[in-house]
Each structure stands twice: as structure tokens, then as C-alpha cells.
Amino acid sequence: MTLIERFAPSPNGALHLGHAFSCLTAFDAARAGAGLFLLRIEDLDPGRSREAFVEGIEADLAWLGVTWPRPVMRQSRRGPVYRSALTKLALRGLLFACTCTRRDIAEAQAAPQEGVAGIVGPDGAPYPGTCRDGGADRSLPHALRLDMRRAVAWLGGPAAVRALTLEEIGEGPKGQTGSRRLDPDWLVEVCGDVVLSRKDAAAAYHLAVVVDDAAQLVSHVTRGEDLYEAAALHRLLQALLELPVPVWRHHRLIRDEDGRRLAKRDRDAGLAELRAAGETPASIRDRLGLPPSAA
Ligand code: GLU
Ligand code: ZN
């Protein structure tokens, strides 16, 4: 198996130290294993993606000494590919249209469904099920959601889902590592009917990431531990779409002095600012506890 790593930023802000850690971890792993490192621009969200951020991302990565082949995959150009994946799921009866607004969902969640309040899955709080039985008017703008119960049934039921495994070579937020099984109860009750295509975009992150990692033959998914739980959903989507299954390398998040995870608004951790303040690629690696560049 060829080792293929990737870094997949969303161009809705400038890169900071956390992105540098993720990208350099993937890049170094590809180098160490004589593999390939790919950049993918996750500009799915037309409202938030900016061309200036794409340019800034490429400039920051080049400065860090990262190299990647061109052309770079751009999610904004892959609508037809996402639509064909959605069609595959729709033909199996696994999708339903949903016209709910955020507010509709919040109100339904506030209603008496006991035990549900406070549960947060990879797509936020689980969907309350309002449109699941085909109630949505498809002539209105709508999202497409995965019917999680049907998805589990389509794969052969809970026991068949439990037989699906994921390989973690990094660490989850609680230090979890190694092989783990999918949990059908978690999928139905915590994950719920996740959005796979949005009202305002050709696909949602969870669908696009799985389709694109497969299209780019990514063998190792290196990214922050905040997406550790989401990997189980991604493994399920790979099974439903009959896609190859990578291994995952989740890593710790880089935090500020107060222990908060970095956000795009933390200017003092921005790579462009650090560079302007006289930091070098070597000093960035040192700050992040990464070994000096082999190049
Ligand atoms: N675009 C996503 C992000 O920036 C990528 C997540 C992933 O690597 O799967 O968070
Ligand atoms: Zn709905």
C-alpha cells in the first residue's frame, strides 16, 4: 500500500500553529515512509470560503517547507462527484429531505424527548426526526440527511455494524489508540441522522471528506483529536459507499497559554504574524515539539 497523507484546510481563515502542527505531522510522516503528501482545499462553504485565504494557506505552507503536487483538489469543483455519491445512497433508500431550520431543530429538541438534551455527536445534537418519514416539501430548499436506522439495517443490522473496525495509530482525546469497533447504538442515538447535503452547498463535510479521501487514495488521515469521534461516522459512510478504508492518526490540539484551543481569530498564533515577528520554520517546529526538517 502506498502511503498517502493529506492536509485539508477550510479557507475561511488564516492558518495558525495548530494547522502547522497538523500539516507538518502529515508531511513528515509521508516523507519518513517515502509516501506522498497532498493538499486539499475544503472550500465547500460558498459563504465562508475566500480566495485570499487559499493564497495565504499556500504561502504559509510553502514558507514552512511543505511541498505538494499540483493541481490541488478543490471541493468547490466537485459537486457532481458528491451528487453521484448522494444518488447511490438515495437509491438505497437511505436519505431523506429535511427543510428544518436551525430554530425548528432547537425547538423540537427542547420538547420533552427525555435524555436527548446535552448529547452532542459529530454533527451537533442528534436530529429530532421531524422530517424522517417523508414529510418535507422538496420544492423548498432542503438538506439531505442520512436515515441512520436504515443505514444500520442496510449494512445487515447492529451485529454487522459492530463487526466494522477502525484503526487508530494516533490518539483520541482520552488517549484512545489501536483498533476499535463501530457502535450501532452510538450511531443511532448520538450521531443520528446527519446532514450529507446542505441547503446552501453541494455536500456536507462528512460526505465530502470521505468521498475525497477515497478519490485521492489517502491511506492515512492525520488531523486533530476533535475529529476522533467523527471517524466512526466516516467509517460508516465508507461502508455504505463501498469505499476503501484508511487508517486514522488523530493528534493533540495546540493550545494557548490558558489551555484554550487555538481559533482562527487568535492573531498572535497566526503563521503570517509569527513569520513577521521573526520566527523561522525551524523555530515553529521547535515550538511545536516537532523534529527539525529532514530537508
Ligand atoms: N476542513 C476540515 C478542517 O479544517 C478538515 C478536517 C479533516 O482533516 O478531516 O477542520
Ligand atoms: Zn427536518
Side-chain angles (χ1 to χ4, degrees), residues 220-258:
H220 289 64
V221 173
T222 297
R223 63 187 182 192
E225 66 184 21
D226 52 323
L227 287 163
Y228 176 80
E229 298 285 351
L233 169 60
H234 300 168
R235 178 68 184 89
L236 177 89
L237 292 172
Q238 285 150 2
L240 294 172
L241 290 165
E242 296 155 301
L243 297 174
V245 179
V247 305
W248 283 268
R249 182 192 288 108
H250 291 95
H251 57 70
R252 68 187 170 90
L253 299 178
I254 302 300
R255 299 181 183 276
D256 66 14
E257 285 98 60
D258 303 319

Short mmCIF file of all heavy atoms in Angstrom, two decimals, residues 220-258:
data_model
loop_
_atom_site.label_atom_id
_atom_site.label_comp_id
_atom_site.label_asym_id
_atom_site.label_seq_id
_atom_site.Cartn_x
_atom_site.Cartn_y
_atom_site.Cartn_z
N HIS A 220 -3.69 7.47 5.03
CA HIS A 220 -3.58 7.90 6.42
C HIS A 220 -4.23 9.26 6.59
O HIS A 220 -3.81 10.23 5.95
CB HIS A 220 -2.11 7.99 6.83
CG HIS A 220 -1.44 6.65 6.96
ND1 HIS A 220 -1.28 5.81 5.89
CD2 HIS A 220 -0.94 6.01 8.04
CE1 HIS A 220 -0.69 4.69 6.32
NE2 HIS A 220 -0.48 4.78 7.61
N VAL A 221 -5.23 9.32 7.45
CA VAL A 221 -5.93 10.58 7.71
C VAL A 221 -5.36 11.17 9.01
O VAL A 221 -5.66 10.69 10.10
CB VAL A 221 -7.45 10.35 7.83
CG1 VAL A 221 -8.15 11.63 8.29
CG2 VAL A 221 -8.03 9.87 6.51
N THR A 222 -4.51 12.18 8.86
CA THR A 222 -3.88 12.85 10.00
C THR A 222 -4.65 14.13 10.28
O THR A 222 -4.83 14.95 9.38
CB THR A 222 -2.40 13.15 9.68
OG1 THR A 222 -1.72 11.91 9.47
CG2 THR A 222 -1.73 13.94 10.79
N ARG A 223 -5.13 14.31 11.52
CA ARG A 223 -5.89 15.52 11.85
C ARG A 223 -6.09 15.59 13.36
O ARG A 223 -5.71 14.68 14.10
CB ARG A 223 -7.24 15.50 11.13
CG ARG A 223 -8.11 14.35 11.54
CD ARG A 223 -9.37 14.26 10.68
NE ARG A 223 -10.19 13.15 11.15
CZ ARG A 223 -11.23 12.66 10.49
NH1 ARG A 223 -11.58 13.15 9.33
NH2 ARG A 223 -11.92 11.67 10.99
N GLY A 224 -6.68 16.69 13.82
CA GLY A 224 -6.82 16.94 15.25
C GLY A 224 -7.77 15.97 15.94
O GLY A 224 -8.70 15.43 15.34
N GLU A 225 -7.55 15.78 17.24
CA GLU A 225 -8.35 14.83 18.02
C GLU A 225 -9.81 15.28 18.15
O GLU A 225 -10.67 14.49 18.56
CB GLU A 225 -7.74 14.63 19.41
CG GLU A 225 -7.80 15.90 20.25
CD GLU A 225 -7.13 15.78 21.61
OE1 GLU A 225 -6.27 14.90 21.80
OE2 GLU A 225 -7.48 16.61 22.47
N ASP A 226 -10.12 16.52 17.79
CA ASP A 226 -11.52 16.97 17.84
C ASP A 226 -12.37 16.19 16.83
O ASP A 226 -13.60 16.19 16.94
CB ASP A 226 -11.62 18.48 17.59
CG ASP A 226 -10.90 18.93 16.32
OD1 ASP A 226 -9.81 18.39 16.02
OD2 ASP A 226 -11.42 19.82 15.63
N LEU A 227 -11.73 15.53 15.86
CA LEU A 227 -12.48 14.76 14.87
C LEU A 227 -12.41 13.26 15.12
O LEU A 227 -12.82 12.45 14.27
CB LEU A 227 -11.99 15.11 13.45
CG LEU A 227 -12.45 16.52 13.02
CD1 LEU A 227 -11.62 17.01 11.84
CD2 LEU A 227 -13.94 16.52 12.67
N TYR A 228 -11.90 12.89 16.30
CA TYR A 228 -11.76 11.47 16.62
C TYR A 228 -13.11 10.73 16.56
O TYR A 228 -13.23 9.67 15.95
CB TYR A 228 -11.14 11.32 18.02
CG TYR A 228 -11.03 9.89 18.49
CD1 TYR A 228 -10.01 9.07 18.04
CD2 TYR A 228 -11.97 9.36 19.37
CE1 TYR A 228 -9.91 7.75 18.46
CE2 TYR A 228 -11.88 8.05 19.80
CZ TYR A 228 -10.84 7.25 19.33
OH TYR A 228 -10.77 5.94 19.75
N GLU A 229 -14.13 11.30 17.18
CA GLU A 229 -15.45 10.65 17.18
C GLU A 229 -16.02 10.59 15.76
O GLU A 229 -16.66 9.60 15.39
CB GLU A 229 -16.43 11.42 18.08
CG GLU A 229 -16.05 11.49 19.54
CD GLU A 229 -16.29 10.17 20.27
OE1 GLU A 229 -16.90 9.26 19.69
OE2 GLU A 229 -15.85 10.08 21.43
N ALA A 230 -15.79 11.65 15.01
CA ALA A 230 -16.35 11.72 13.65
C ALA A 230 -15.81 10.59 12.77
O ALA A 230 -16.48 10.17 11.82
CB ALA A 230 -16.04 13.07 13.01
N ALA A 231 -14.63 10.08 13.10
CA ALA A 231 -14.07 9.00 12.28
C ALA A 231 -15.00 7.79 12.25
O ALA A 231 -15.05 7.07 11.24
CB ALA A 231 -12.68 8.61 12.81
N ALA A 232 -15.74 7.56 13.32
CA ALA A 232 -16.68 6.42 13.33
C ALA A 232 -17.79 6.64 12.30
O ALA A 232 -18.19 5.71 11.59
CB ALA A 232 -17.26 6.22 14.72
N LEU A 233 -18.26 7.87 12.21
CA LEU A 233 -19.26 8.19 11.19
C LEU A 233 -18.64 8.03 9.78
O LEU A 233 -19.27 7.51 8.86
CB LEU A 233 -19.77 9.62 11.40
CG LEU A 233 -20.61 10.22 10.29
CD1 LEU A 233 -21.87 9.41 10.03
CD2 LEU A 233 -20.96 11.67 10.61
N HIS A 234 -17.39 8.48 9.64
CA HIS A 234 -16.74 8.37 8.34
C HIS A 234 -16.56 6.90 7.94
O HIS A 234 -16.75 6.53 6.78
CB HIS A 234 -15.40 9.13 8.35
CG HIS A 234 -15.59 10.60 8.66
ND1 HIS A 234 -14.57 11.45 8.97
CD2 HIS A 234 -16.73 11.36 8.70
CE1 HIS A 234 -15.05 12.67 9.18
NE2 HIS A 234 -16.36 12.63 9.05
N ARG A 235 -16.24 6.07 8.93
CA ARG A 235 -16.09 4.62 8.66
C ARG A 235 -17.42 4.03 8.19
O ARG A 235 -17.46 3.19 7.29
CB ARG A 235 -15.60 3.93 9.93
CG ARG A 235 -15.46 2.42 9.81
CD ARG A 235 -14.32 2.06 8.86
NE ARG A 235 -14.23 0.61 8.65
CZ ARG A 235 -14.89 -0.04 7.70
NH1 ARG A 235 -15.72 0.61 6.89
NH2 ARG A 235 -14.74 -1.34 7.55
N LEU A 236 -18.52 4.48 8.81
CA LEU A 236 -19.85 4.01 8.40
C LEU A 236 -20.13 4.44 6.95
O LEU A 236 -20.60 3.63 6.14
CB LEU A 236 -20.92 4.59 9.33
CG LEU A 236 -22.34 4.18 8.91
CD1 LEU A 236 -22.73 2.86 9.56
CD2 LEU A 236 -23.35 5.25 9.20
N LEU A 237 -19.83 5.69 6.63
CA LEU A 237 -20.08 6.18 5.26
C LEU A 237 -19.22 5.42 4.25
O LEU A 237 -19.67 5.12 3.14
CB LEU A 237 -19.81 7.69 5.18
CG LEU A 237 -20.80 8.57 5.96
CD1 LEU A 237 -20.32 10.01 5.98
CD2 LEU A 237 -22.21 8.48 5.36
N GLN A 238 -18.00 5.08 4.63
CA GLN A 238 -17.16 4.28 3.73
C GLN A 238 -17.80 2.92 3.46
O GLN A 238 -17.77 2.42 2.34
CB GLN A 238 -15.76 4.11 4.32
CG GLN A 238 -14.93 5.39 4.20
CD GLN A 238 -13.90 5.56 5.30
OE1 GLN A 238 -13.76 4.69 6.18
NE2 GLN A 238 -13.19 6.67 5.28
N ALA A 239 -18.39 2.33 4.48
CA ALA A 239 -19.06 1.04 4.30
C ALA A 239 -20.28 1.19 3.39
O ALA A 239 -20.49 0.39 2.48
CB ALA A 239 -19.46 0.45 5.66
N LEU A 240 -21.06 2.25 3.61
CA LEU A 240 -22.28 2.44 2.81
C LEU A 240 -21.94 2.73 1.35
O LEU A 240 -22.68 2.34 0.45
CB LEU A 240 -23.12 3.59 3.38
CG LEU A 240 -23.72 3.38 4.77
CD1 LEU A 240 -24.35 4.68 5.26
CD2 LEU A 240 -24.78 2.26 4.74
N LEU A 241 -20.85 3.44 1.12
CA LEU A 241 -20.49 3.85 -0.24
C LEU A 241 -19.48 2.88 -0.87
O LEU A 241 -19.03 3.10 -1.99
CB LEU A 241 -19.91 5.27 -0.23
CG LEU A 241 -20.92 6.39 0.08
CD1 LEU A 241 -20.20 7.69 0.42
CD2 LEU A 241 -21.86 6.59 -1.11
N GLU A 242 -19.12 1.84 -0.12
CA GLU A 242 -18.15 0.83 -0.58
C GLU A 242 -16.84 1.48 -1.01
O GLU A 242 -16.34 1.26 -2.11
CB GLU A 242 -18.76 0.00 -1.70
CG GLU A 242 -19.96 -0.80 -1.18
CD GLU A 242 -20.98 -1.16 -2.25
OE1 GLU A 242 -21.52 -0.24 -2.89
OE2 GLU A 242 -21.19 -2.36 -2.44
N LEU A 243 -16.30 2.30 -0.12
CA LEU A 243 -15.04 3.00 -0.38
C LEU A 243 -13.91 2.34 0.41
O LEU A 243 -14.16 1.70 1.45
CB LEU A 243 -15.16 4.47 0.05
CG LEU A 243 -16.20 5.30 -0.71
CD1 LEU A 243 -16.33 6.69 -0.10
CD2 LEU A 243 -15.85 5.38 -2.19
N PRO A 244 -12.66 2.52 -0.03
CA PRO A 244 -11.53 2.00 0.74
C PRO A 244 -11.44 2.68 2.10
O PRO A 244 -11.89 3.82 2.27
CB PRO A 244 -10.31 2.32 -0.13
CG PRO A 244 -10.76 3.38 -1.08
CD PRO A 244 -12.25 3.20 -1.26
N VAL A 245 -10.87 1.98 3.06
CA VAL A 245 -10.82 2.47 4.44
C VAL A 245 -9.38 2.82 4.81
O VAL A 245 -8.52 1.94 4.80
CB VAL A 245 -11.37 1.39 5.40
CG1 VAL A 245 -11.31 1.88 6.85
CG2 VAL A 245 -12.79 1.00 5.01
N PRO A 246 -9.12 4.09 5.14
CA PRO A 246 -7.76 4.48 5.55
C PRO A 246 -7.52 4.13 7.01
O PRO A 246 -8.41 3.61 7.68
CB PRO A 246 -7.78 6.00 5.37
CG PRO A 246 -9.21 6.37 5.65
CD PRO A 246 -10.06 5.21 5.20
N VAL A 247 -6.33 4.44 7.52
CA VAL A 247 -6.13 4.43 8.96
C VAL A 247 -6.13 5.88 9.42
O VAL A 247 -5.89 6.79 8.62
CB VAL A 247 -4.84 3.70 9.40
CG1 VAL A 247 -4.79 2.29 8.85
CG2 VAL A 247 -3.60 4.46 8.98
N TRP A 248 -6.43 6.09 10.69
CA TRP A 248 -6.51 7.45 11.22
C TRP A 248 -5.36 7.72 12.19
O TRP A 248 -4.98 6.83 12.96
CB TRP A 248 -7.84 7.66 11.95
CG TRP A 248 -8.99 7.87 11.02
CD1 TRP A 248 -9.46 9.08 10.57
CD2 TRP A 248 -9.83 6.87 10.40
NE1 TRP A 248 -10.52 8.87 9.70
CE2 TRP A 248 -10.76 7.54 9.58
CE3 TRP A 248 -9.85 5.48 10.44
CZ2 TRP A 248 -11.73 6.87 8.83
CZ3 TRP A 248 -10.81 4.80 9.68
CH2 TRP A 248 -11.74 5.50 8.89
N ARG A 249 -4.85 8.95 12.11
CA ARG A 249 -3.83 9.38 13.05
C ARG A 249 -4.31 10.72 13.63
O ARG A 249 -4.05 11.78 13.07
CB ARG A 249 -2.47 9.56 12.37
CG ARG A 249 -1.36 9.97 13.35
CD ARG A 249 -0.09 10.43 12.67
NE ARG A 249 0.67 9.37 12.04
CZ ARG A 249 0.77 9.18 10.73
NH1 ARG A 249 0.16 10.00 9.90
NH2 ARG A 249 1.48 8.20 10.23
N HIS A 250 -5.08 10.63 14.71
CA HIS A 250 -5.52 11.87 15.36
C HIS A 250 -4.41 12.33 16.30
O HIS A 250 -3.67 11.52 16.85
CB HIS A 250 -6.84 11.64 16.10
CG HIS A 250 -7.99 11.40 15.16
ND1 HIS A 250 -8.40 10.13 14.81
CD2 HIS A 250 -8.76 12.25 14.45
CE1 HIS A 250 -9.40 10.22 13.93
NE2 HIS A 250 -9.64 11.50 13.70
N HIS A 251 -4.29 13.66 16.44
CA HIS A 251 -3.22 14.19 17.29
C HIS A 251 -3.78 15.23 18.25
O HIS A 251 -4.87 15.77 18.04
CB HIS A 251 -2.10 14.78 16.43
CG HIS A 251 -2.57 15.86 15.50
ND1 HIS A 251 -2.97 17.10 15.94
CD2 HIS A 251 -2.73 15.89 14.14
CE1 HIS A 251 -3.33 17.84 14.90
NE2 HIS A 251 -3.22 17.12 13.79
N ARG A 252 -3.02 15.54 19.25
CA ARG A 252 -3.41 16.52 20.26
C ARG A 252 -3.62 17.88 19.59
O ARG A 252 -3.08 18.15 18.53
CB ARG A 252 -2.33 16.64 21.34
CG ARG A 252 -1.03 17.25 20.84
CD ARG A 252 0.08 17.18 21.89
NE ARG A 252 1.36 17.56 21.30
CZ ARG A 252 1.82 18.82 21.26
NH1 ARG A 252 1.13 19.80 21.80
NH2 ARG A 252 2.99 19.08 20.71
N LEU A 253 -4.39 18.73 20.24
CA LEU A 253 -4.62 20.08 19.73
C LEU A 253 -3.61 21.03 20.37
O LEU A 253 -3.23 20.85 21.53
CB LEU A 253 -6.04 20.54 20.07
CG LEU A 253 -7.16 19.68 19.48
CD1 LEU A 253 -8.52 20.21 19.92
CD2 LEU A 253 -7.09 19.62 17.95
N ILE A 254 -3.19 22.00 19.59
CA ILE A 254 -2.27 23.01 20.10
C ILE A 254 -3.10 24.06 20.84
O ILE A 254 -4.14 24.50 20.33
CB ILE A 254 -1.48 23.66 18.94
CG1 ILE A 254 -0.72 22.58 18.16
CG2 ILE A 254 -0.54 24.75 19.44
CD1 ILE A 254 0.29 21.79 18.99
N ARG A 255 -2.70 24.40 22.03
CA ARG A 255 -3.49 25.32 22.86
C ARG A 255 -2.71 26.58 23.18
O ARG A 255 -1.48 26.60 23.07
CB ARG A 255 -3.90 24.61 24.15
CG ARG A 255 -4.76 23.40 23.86
CD ARG A 255 -5.21 22.66 25.10
NE ARG A 255 -5.97 21.48 24.69
CZ ARG A 255 -7.26 21.49 24.37
NH1 ARG A 255 -7.96 22.61 24.47
NH2 ARG A 255 -7.87 20.38 23.97
N ASP A 256 -3.43 27.63 23.59
CA ASP A 256 -2.73 28.86 24.01
C ASP A 256 -2.31 28.72 25.47
O ASP A 256 -2.51 27.67 26.10
CB ASP A 256 -3.61 30.10 23.76
CG ASP A 256 -4.86 30.12 24.65
OD1 ASP A 256 -4.93 29.34 25.63
OD2 ASP A 256 -5.78 30.90 24.36
N GLU A 257 -1.71 29.78 26.02
CA GLU A 257 -1.18 29.68 27.39
C GLU A 257 -2.26 29.34 28.42
O GLU A 257 -1.96 28.78 29.46
CB GLU A 257 -0.50 31.00 27.82
CG GLU A 257 0.85 31.24 27.18
CD GLU A 257 0.76 32.16 25.97
OE1 GLU A 257 0.30 33.30 26.15
OE2 GLU A 257 1.11 31.74 24.86
N ASP A 258 -3.52 29.70 28.10
CA ASP A 258 -4.60 29.42 29.04
C ASP A 258 -5.25 28.07 28.80
O ASP A 258 -6.29 27.75 29.38
CB ASP A 258 -5.66 30.53 28.95
CG ASP A 258 -5.06 31.89 29.22
OD1 ASP A 258 -4.21 31.98 30.13
OD2 ASP A 258 -5.40 32.85 28.50
#
